[in-house]
PDB file of all heavy atoms in Angstrom:
ATOM      1  N   ALA A 119     186.915  53.464  -1.267  1.00 95.00           N
ATOM      2  CA  ALA A 119     187.124  54.879  -1.223  1.00 95.00           C
ATOM      3  C   ALA A 119     188.442  55.168  -0.454  1.00 95.00           C
ATOM      4  O   ALA A 119     189.126  56.182  -0.856  1.00 95.00           O
ATOM      5  CB  ALA A 119     185.918  55.542  -0.384  1.00 95.00           C
ATOM      6  N   ALA A 120     188.838  54.440   0.619  1.00 96.00           N
ATOM      7  CA  ALA A 120     189.895  54.663   1.314  1.00 96.00           C
ATOM      8  C   ALA A 120     191.220  54.413   0.510  1.00 96.00           C
ATOM      9  O   ALA A 120     192.075  55.200   0.495  1.00 96.00           O
ATOM     10  CB  ALA A 120     189.991  53.935   2.629  1.00 96.00           C
ATOM     11  N   LEU A 121     191.078  53.266  -0.238  1.00 97.00           N
ATOM     12  CA  LEU A 121     192.276  53.037  -1.004  1.00 97.00           C
ATOM     13  C   LEU A 121     192.470  53.970  -2.164  1.00 97.00           C
ATOM     14  O   LEU A 121     193.675  54.349  -2.487  1.00 97.00           O
ATOM     15  CB  LEU A 121     192.234  51.547  -1.545  1.00 97.00           C
ATOM     16  CG  LEU A 121     192.505  50.472  -0.558  1.00 97.00           C
ATOM     17  CD1 LEU A 121     192.103  49.069  -1.147  1.00 97.00           C
ATOM     18  CD2 LEU A 121     193.961  50.484  -0.147  1.00 97.00           C
ATOM     19  N   THR A 122     191.409  54.295  -2.864  1.00 97.00           N
ATOM     20  CA  THR A 122     191.548  55.289  -3.937  1.00 97.00           C
ATOM     21  C   THR A 122     192.014  56.643  -3.365  1.00 97.00           C
ATOM     22  O   THR A 122     192.825  57.311  -4.028  1.00 97.00           O
ATOM     23  CB  THR A 122     190.197  55.397  -4.781  1.00 97.00           C
ATOM     24  OG1 THR A 122     189.166  55.818  -3.958  1.00 97.00           O
ATOM     25  CG2 THR A 122     189.933  54.051  -5.450  1.00 97.00           C
ATOM     26  N   ALA A 123     191.537  57.006  -2.234  1.00 97.00           N
ATOM     27  CA  ALA A 123     191.973  58.298  -1.661  1.00 97.00           C
ATOM     28  C   ALA A 123     193.449  58.300  -1.308  1.00 97.00           C
ATOM     29  O   ALA A 123     194.165  59.248  -1.610  1.00 97.00           O
ATOM     30  CB  ALA A 123     191.055  58.660  -0.403  1.00 97.00           C
ATOM     31  N   LEU A 124     193.820  57.212  -0.735  1.00 97.00           N
ATOM     32  CA  LEU A 124     195.277  57.113  -0.330  1.00 97.00           C
ATOM     33  C   LEU A 124     196.156  57.304  -1.628  1.00 97.00           C
ATOM     34  O   LEU A 124     197.134  58.071  -1.536  1.00 97.00           O
ATOM     35  CB  LEU A 124     195.579  55.744   0.292  1.00 97.00           C
ATOM     36  CG  LEU A 124     197.061  55.465   0.457  1.00 97.00           C
ATOM     37  CD1 LEU A 124     197.672  56.244   1.539  1.00 97.00           C
ATOM     38  CD2 LEU A 124     197.174  53.852   0.782  1.00 97.00           C
ATOM     39  N   PHE A 125     195.791  56.595  -2.637  1.00 97.00           N
ATOM     40  CA  PHE A 125     196.621  56.705  -3.947  1.00 97.00           C
ATOM     41  C   PHE A 125     196.480  57.963  -4.662  1.00 97.00           C
ATOM     42  O   PHE A 125     197.337  58.514  -5.371  1.00 97.00           O
ATOM     43  CB  PHE A 125     196.540  55.483  -4.698  1.00 97.00           C
ATOM     44  CG  PHE A 125     197.189  54.206  -4.176  1.00 97.00           C
ATOM     45  CD1 PHE A 125     196.241  53.134  -3.694  1.00 97.00           C
ATOM     46  CD2 PHE A 125     198.453  54.154  -3.917  1.00 97.00           C
ATOM     47  CE1 PHE A 125     196.994  51.957  -3.223  1.00 97.00           C
ATOM     48  CE2 PHE A 125     199.133  53.141  -3.313  1.00 97.00           C
ATOM     49  CZ  PHE A 125     198.304  51.988  -2.971  1.00 97.00           C
ATOM     50  N   GLY A 126     195.281  58.570  -4.381  1.00 97.00           N
ATOM     51  CA  GLY A 126     194.969  59.881  -5.055  1.00 97.00           C
ATOM     52  C   GLY A 126     196.005  60.924  -4.499  1.00 97.00           C
ATOM     53  O   GLY A 126     196.387  61.864  -5.144  1.00 97.00           O
ATOM     54  N   LEU A 127     196.304  60.806  -3.214  1.00 97.00           N
ATOM     55  CA  LEU A 127     197.275  61.764  -2.586  1.00 97.00           C
ATOM     56  C   LEU A 127     198.488  61.734  -3.385  1.00 97.00           C
ATOM     57  O   LEU A 127     199.231  62.803  -3.587  1.00 97.00           O
ATOM     58  CB  LEU A 127     197.502  61.441  -1.143  1.00 97.00           C
ATOM     59  CG  LEU A 127     196.548  61.800  -0.148  1.00 97.00           C
ATOM     60  CD1 LEU A 127     196.873  61.202   1.220  1.00 97.00           C
ATOM     61  CD2 LEU A 127     196.490  63.368   0.036  1.00 97.00           C
ATOM     62  N   PHE A 128     199.014  60.543  -3.700  1.00 97.00           N
ATOM     63  CA  PHE A 128     200.360  60.365  -4.442  1.00 97.00           C
ATOM     64  C   PHE A 128     200.251  60.982  -5.872  1.00 97.00           C
ATOM     65  O   PHE A 128     201.059  61.714  -6.265  1.00 97.00           O
ATOM     66  CB  PHE A 128     200.733  58.835  -4.532  1.00 97.00           C
ATOM     67  CG  PHE A 128     201.357  58.382  -3.295  1.00 97.00           C
ATOM     68  CD1 PHE A 128     200.576  57.743  -2.404  1.00 97.00           C
ATOM     69  CD2 PHE A 128     202.626  58.525  -2.965  1.00 97.00           C
ATOM     70  CE1 PHE A 128     201.040  57.236  -1.153  1.00 97.00           C
ATOM     71  CE2 PHE A 128     203.172  58.059  -1.775  1.00 97.00           C
ATOM     72  CZ  PHE A 128     202.347  57.403  -0.814  1.00 97.00           C
ATOM     73  N   HIS A 129     199.165  60.673  -6.630  1.00 93.00           N
ATOM     74  CA  HIS A 129     199.054  61.209  -7.886  1.00 93.00           C
ATOM     75  C   HIS A 129     198.900  62.713  -7.886  1.00 93.00           C
ATOM     76  O   HIS A 129     199.602  63.474  -8.654  1.00 93.00           O
ATOM     77  CB  HIS A 129     197.727  60.693  -8.534  1.00 93.00           C
ATOM     78  CG  HIS A 129     197.926  59.283  -9.007  1.00 93.00           C
ATOM     79  ND1 HIS A 129     198.386  59.030 -10.322  1.00 93.00           N
ATOM     80  CD2 HIS A 129     197.635  58.102  -8.354  1.00 93.00           C
ATOM     81  CE1 HIS A 129     198.334  57.677 -10.445  1.00 93.00           C
ATOM     82  NE2 HIS A 129     197.995  57.118  -9.288  1.00 93.00           N
ATOM     83  N   GLY A 130     198.116  63.356  -6.905  1.00 92.00           N
ATOM     84  CA  GLY A 130     198.111  64.826  -6.748  1.00 92.00           C
ATOM     85  C   GLY A 130     199.384  65.485  -6.405  1.00 92.00           C
ATOM     86  O   GLY A 130     199.738  66.463  -6.786  1.00 92.00           O
ATOM     87  N   ASN A 131     200.085  64.819  -5.432  1.00 93.00           N
ATOM     88  CA  ASN A 131     201.321  65.237  -4.999  1.00 93.00           C
ATOM     89  C   ASN A 131     202.352  65.424  -5.993  1.00 93.00           C
ATOM     90  O   ASN A 131     203.023  66.459  -6.078  1.00 93.00           O
ATOM     91  CB  ASN A 131     201.785  64.499  -3.778  1.00 93.00           C
ATOM     92  CG  ASN A 131     202.985  65.161  -2.891  1.00 93.00           C
ATOM     93  OD1 ASN A 131     204.033  64.638  -2.868  1.00 93.00           O
ATOM     94  ND2 ASN A 131     202.716  66.299  -2.357  1.00 93.00           N
ATOM     95  N   ALA A 132     202.411  64.499  -6.859  1.00 90.00           N
ATOM     96  CA  ALA A 132     203.338  64.575  -7.900  1.00 90.00           C
ATOM     97  C   ALA A 132     203.134  65.705  -8.756  1.00 90.00           C
ATOM     98  O   ALA A 132     204.154  66.414  -9.186  1.00 90.00           O
ATOM     99  CB  ALA A 132     203.357  63.225  -8.815  1.00 90.00           C
ATOM    100  N   HIS A 133     201.954  66.154  -8.920  1.00 83.00           N
ATOM    101  CA  HIS A 133     201.607  67.264  -9.878  1.00 83.00           C
ATOM    102  C   HIS A 133     201.660  68.563  -9.113  1.00 83.00           C
ATOM    103  O   HIS A 133     202.123  69.571  -9.662  1.00 83.00           O
ATOM    104  CB  HIS A 133     200.246  67.074 -10.507  1.00 83.00           C
ATOM    105  CG  HIS A 133     200.364  65.869 -11.477  1.00 83.00           C
ATOM    106  ND1 HIS A 133     201.044  65.890 -12.684  1.00 83.00           N
ATOM    107  CD2 HIS A 133     200.002  64.551 -11.382  1.00 83.00           C
ATOM    108  CE1 HIS A 133     200.979  64.758 -13.220  1.00 83.00           C
ATOM    109  NE2 HIS A 133     200.366  63.945 -12.510  1.00 83.00           N
TER     110      HIS A 133
END
Side-chain angles (χ1 to χ4, degrees):
L121 285 169
T122 56
L124 170 68
F125 290 116
L127 279 172
F128 284 94
H129 285 268
N131 191 243
H133 294 288

